[in-house]
Amino acid sequence: MEKTKRFNLYIYIELISAVLFSLLSVSFHTDISLLAFPLAAGFTALAVFYVYFKMLRHTDGKKAFGSLRFLEYLPFVLLLSFILRRAGKNGTYYWYDLIQVLLWCVVFISSLINAYIMNEKRIKNYTTDWNVAPEKTKFSGKAKIIFEVIDWIDALVQAIFMVLLIQIFILQLYVIPSESMVPEYLVKDKVAVLKFDCGPKFPLTEIGLTDFKPYKRGQIVVLRNPHYKLDRKSEVKTVTSQLVFMLTFTKVNLNKDEDGKIKADPLVKRITGLPGEQLVMQDGILYARTKDSDEFKPVTEDEKYACWNLNALQKNIKAKVQEFKFTQEGYEAMLQVESLRRSYDLNKAQADAEEMIESLKKMTAGKIKSGTFSEPSLFLNNWEFNYLTVAGNILNQNGGVEWFEKFITSWIPAKDVKKDMYADAAYKLEVMHKIIYGKIITKIASYIYEGNMELINSDEKLKNNTQLQYYFYVYQKYYQDERNMPVFPANDENGNAQYIPENCYFMMGDNRFNSLDMRHTDKEYKAPVTEYDPMPIEYASFMKPQYVNKSLIIGKPVIRLTKRK
């Protein structure tokens, strides 16, 4: 008798909690949230009718295994109702979410207890005084085949929902989509991502577990992609797509961007910056400082993970890499540009600029000119290296020399201004662009002036300068934003240092030349090479550093399931 009461109690707890949950699923908004109440209330009513009125009131054991199915499905149906209620245009209050989450947890735990008690072998111990003893209906012939199919479908659907719950709250299998984490992870590597200690939340709410352990530098994390909108509408779409993805056995993925492409969400990155730090990266070296020290110091731990040259990888890893940004020769050319910049003499550059101006003024003194000078584009991506045309226009068009003088000297007033390491490097790179460009233009102009244009193609020094100009161009266009990062967070308008806030982190991919990470935005924009030149060269940049709140971290990879040969 005591066991029977306990048996009934667990069922009453689940059913009553489901009824209360259903009542809270009512929505008065004319959107998809209207479907929440009919779904929850309808299924709960069927469960109450069958379990209570058909089984418990009549103590009819023949209804036991059908009742078990209702009790097992209740938490899954209510979870779908929970998501629908919050998928409308209007959200719900935190306290409202909390009450429903607690009720759902009671339903879920009760369903597990009831599933344990109502096992075919155990239920007889709890129903000894029932009118009809629990016993499965036996089928034969076609009926048996139909029952077996239904039973198989039932097991499959329950498995899908259990996997969904595990993926939401505990552990998720993740397939690496890109090469941003080479050599740690390769494309299509399968990893198990632990979510339990990262504060998993109920879908479309802030209700959930807290993160149990602080994050450390060097840890790899899985996070929501902050480059996408993370507003209510997009979150609803993400959750919906996850459900459809699971229910269609990974065949249908609705999580697409505005262009119809599958979203790169979530991301896998490594934590490289911690709360309370200000960062800067120059020539591939990450530096950090805190409130306790004004000096930027190299983050030596980052050097262990940062991969700049894929050509140097082990053969077995290298063979699986799909995209190489450059050859070994290209990598060495990049290092050469950085070496030239570090040792660049600005005083010598100023003297060279003044000499070039004087030379062009002598060539054009008393010369009859026609038309107005056509200024070449200062946007690096539009440069066609049409030196001959520009040199000719400077000599023959009005305003040409004046433009050249302004262009080649506009950087000089900021020469002795104190700059941080990133700003100083960018400033020097700007001057290098201008001086080498000016030398090429001035030399070609001299051949035009002297009528010795046939010597242009045979001048070795001119060829070397042209090659060097091309190296500068390639570095600026392809390497600058991956290899360097301005001081971040940027100082305030008074020059006071700012730091990564509490509970926020900075992340990068290990494959630094192939990682759209927290250094970058996903859309290019036109930016000056340096802010210290009023007439700057511009380039297509995607530099826009940002930190990430820990609330966007959804898990930590704990094991790679793909074997490496």
Side-chain angles (χ1 to χ4, degrees):
M1 194 62 145
E2 185 64 31
K3 284 189 175 182
T4 301
K5 288 183 178 179
R6 196 187 315 160
F7 173 78
N8 293 346
L9 177 62
Y10 291 133
I11 293 178
Y12 290 151
I13 289 174
E14 182 172 356
L15 293 178
I16 291 171
S17 299
V19 170
L20 294 174
F21 183 98
S22 299
L23 292 175
L24 290 173
S25 298
V26 175
S27 174
F28 300 99
H29 304 288
T30 55
D31 52 33
I32 195 172
S33 63
L34 277 176
L35 299 176
F37 178 71
L39 177 63
F43 192 85
T44 300
L46 287 174
V48 170
F49 174 77
Y50 196 90
V51 177
Y52 177 73
F53 289 101
K54 290 292 186 180
M55 182 184 74
L56 292 184
R57 284 195 65 177
H58 299 288
T59 60
D60 185 353
K62 288 185 177 181
K63 303 295 190 297
F65 298 107
S67 296
L68 176 58
R69 293 294 174 265
F70 276 107
L71 296 174
E72 286 177 332
Y73 274 96
L74 256 180
F76 303 135
V77 174
L78 296 185
L79 181 61
L80 290 177
S81 170
F82 183 86
I83 294 171
L84 285 172
R85 178 66 180 83
R86 283 144 189 83
K89 297 178 182 178
N90 300 279
T92 49
Y93 294 109
Y94 181 89
W95 62 266
Y96 200 94
D97 290 339
L98 181 60
I99 293 173
Q100 275 206 295
V101 165
L102 292 175
L103 286 171
W104 184 88
C105 289
V106 172
V107 171
F108 180 66
I109 293 171
S110 300
S111 73
L112 295 178
I113 295 173
N114 288 325
Y116 177 81
I117 292 175
M118 295 176 73
N119 178 272
E120 188 176 356
K121 295 181 179 178
R122 298 188 189 92
I123 191 171
K124 293 178 181 179
N125 298 325
Y126 292 87
T127 57
T128 54
D129 57 345
W130 278 26
N131 292 328
V132 180
E135 187 176 350
K136 276 190 174 182
T137 304
K138 295 181 179 180
F139 298 95
S140 60
K142 292 182 179 179
K144 183 177 182 180
I145 295 174
I146 294 173
F147 176 79
E148 291 292 338
V149 170
I150 293 174
D151 199 46
W152 183 84
I153 294 173
D154 166 65
L156 182 61
V157 172
Q158 288 205 50
I160 290 173
F161 276 106
M162 286 304 297
V163 169
L164 181 64
L165 288 178
I166 291 171
Q167 287 202 139
I168 291 174
F169 298 109
I170 303 175
L171 191 74
Q172 182 174 357
L173 296 182
Y174 183 74
V175 179
I176 302 297
S178 72
E179 295 191 325
S180 67
M181 287 298 294
V182 170
E184 185 71 29
Y185 296 122
L186 302 174
V187 173
K188 296 184 179 180
D189 272 357
K190 294 180 177 65
V191 296
V193 177
L194 182 65
K195 304 177 75 172
F196 182 75
D197 66 344
C198 291
K201 302 291 188 291
F202 272 76
L204 304 177
T205 75
E206 291 301 314
I207 308 297
L209 300 174
T210 184
D211 47 343
F212 297 109
K213 297 179 181 178
Y215 301 102
K216 300 178 181 178
R217 195 191 322 272
Q219 276 188 323
I220 299 176
V221 295
V222 178
L223 67 148
R224 296 297 310 279
N225 190 341
H227 295 118
Y228 295 120
K229 285 184 179 180
L230 297 178
D231 55 14
R232 180 171 183 77
K233 183 178 179 181
S234 65
E235 289 300 280
V236 169
K237 185 176 180 180
T238 297
V239 171
T240 303
S241 66
Q242 288 175 343
L243 288 172
V244 173
F245 190 68
M246 286 295 300
L247 293 174
T248 59
F249 307 101
T250 71
K251 298 296 183 182
V252 179
N253 191 342
L254 301 178
N255 197 23
K256 299 179 181 179
D257 59 21
E258 296 174 353
D259 298 324
K261 298 179 180 179
I262 299 297
K263 283 186 175 181
D265 186 30
L267 299 174
V268 180
K269 303 297 174 188
R270 193 183 297 274
I271 292 177
T272 53
L274 302 176
E277 291 183 335
Q278 188 179 47
L279 309 171
V280 65
M281 189 162 67
Q282 190 58 50
D283 297 348
I285 299 175
L286 182 68
Y287 299 82
R289 68 178 178 184
T290 65
K291 294 178 181 179
D292 299 327
S293 175
D294 290 336
E295 182 184 357
F296 279 109
K297 297 180 180 179
V299 180
T300 54
E301 190 173 358
D302 186 67
E303 297 176 15
K304 301 176 185 177
Y305 309 115
C307 180
W308 294 105
N309 184 13
L310 297 180
N311 299 284
L313 292 176
Q314 296 177 357
K315 288 184 178 180
N316 63 322
I317 301 297
K318 185 177 178 181
K320 297 178 181 180
V321 176
Q322 300 173 8
E323 184 175 354
F324 290 81
K325 290 291 183 178
F326 42 70
T327 62
Q328 181 64 30
E329 292 75 16
Y331 179 73
E332 292 172 359
M334 179 198 72
L335 296 181
Q336 180 186 357
V337 172
E338 292 178 347
S339 177
L340 288 171
R341 191 210 65 241
R342 286 192 292 269
S343 60
Y344 197 69
D345 187 340
L346 292 174
N347 292 322
K348 175 68 165 55
Q350 181 176 352
D352 288 343
E354 292 169 351
E355 183 180 337
M356 285 185 276
I357 294 167
E358 187 65 27
S359 176
L360 286 173
K361 284 182 177 180
K362 288 180 179 179
M363 294 181 214
T364 57
K367 186 177 180 64
I368 298 175
K369 303 175 184 178
S370 62
T372 303
F373 177 71
S374 301
E375 296 185 4
S377 173
L378 295 185
F379 183 44
L380 201 66
N381 287 35
N382 291 341
W383 279 21
E384 298 175 355
F385 304 102
N386 52 346
Y387 307 116
L388 187 62
T389 301
V390 175
N393 289 343
I394 288 174
L395 290 177
N396 299 309
Q397 293 180 344
N398 291 303
V401 174
E402 289 77 7
W403 173 87
F404 182 84
E405 182 174 8
K406 183 180 179 181
F407 168 79
I408 209 71
T409 61
S410 58
W411 57 272
I412 294 176
K415 180 167 66 74
D416 297 320
V417 174
K418 186 178 180 181
K419 311 171 188 70
D420 61 65
M421 68 174 74
Y422 175 88
D424 183 66
Y427 175 77
K428 285 184 176 179
L429 196 58
E430 165 95 356
V431 178
M432 289 165 64
H433 278 299
K434 287 193 168 187
I435 295 301
I436 199 70
Y437 183 78
K439 286 182 177 181
I440 295 169
I441 293 297
T442 304
K443 189 62 178 178
I444 292 176
S446 70
Y447 284 133
I448 296 173
Y449 175 75
E450 296 167 357
N452 294 323
M453 292 181 61
E454 69 278 359
L455 298 177
I456 291 177
N457 293 327
S458 60
D459 189 322
E460 287 300 320
K461 188 175 182 179
L462 185 58
K463 285 182 180 180
N464 291 336
N465 283 341
T466 303
Q467 182 65 47
L468 199 55
Q469 173 74 63
Y470 178 72
Y471 285 161
F472 296 168
Y473 166 83
V474 169
Y475 185 92
Q476 190 72 55
K477 186 174 180 179
Y478 297 107
Y479 304 150
Q480 169 67 15
D481 283 6
E482 285 91 345
R483 190 78 169 148
N484 312 290
M485 182 181 73
V487 171
F488 174 77
N491 297 338
D492 65 18
E493 58 185 13
N494 297 317
N496 299 314
Q498 303 298 300
Y499 303 94
I500 298 173
E502 196 67 31
N503 296 323
C504 294
Y505 298 86
F506 184 75
M507 293 107 168
M508 289 189 282
D510 289 353
N511 185 7
R512 298 288 162 83
F513 278 116
N514 192 9
S515 176
L516 182 65
D517 50 42
M518 300 311 110
R519 294 171 292 170
H520 308 133
T521 176
D522 58 344
K523 294 182 180 179
E524 289 185 340
Y525 62 95
K526 191 181 292 186
V529 174
T530 178
E531 296 179 354
Y532 288 90
D533 186 349
M535 193 178 178
I537 295 169
E538 297 177 314
Y539 74 110
S541 174
F542 50 101
M543 180 67 71
K544 192 177 181 181
Q546 61 179 310
Y547 44 74
V548 176
N549 190 282
K550 69 175 183 179
S551 63
L552 294 184
I553 299 175
I554 60 177
K556 303 172 185 174
V558 290
I559 186 171
R560 182 175 56 234
L561 303 175
T562 305
K563 293 183 179 180
R564 296 279 177 86
K565 295 180 180 180

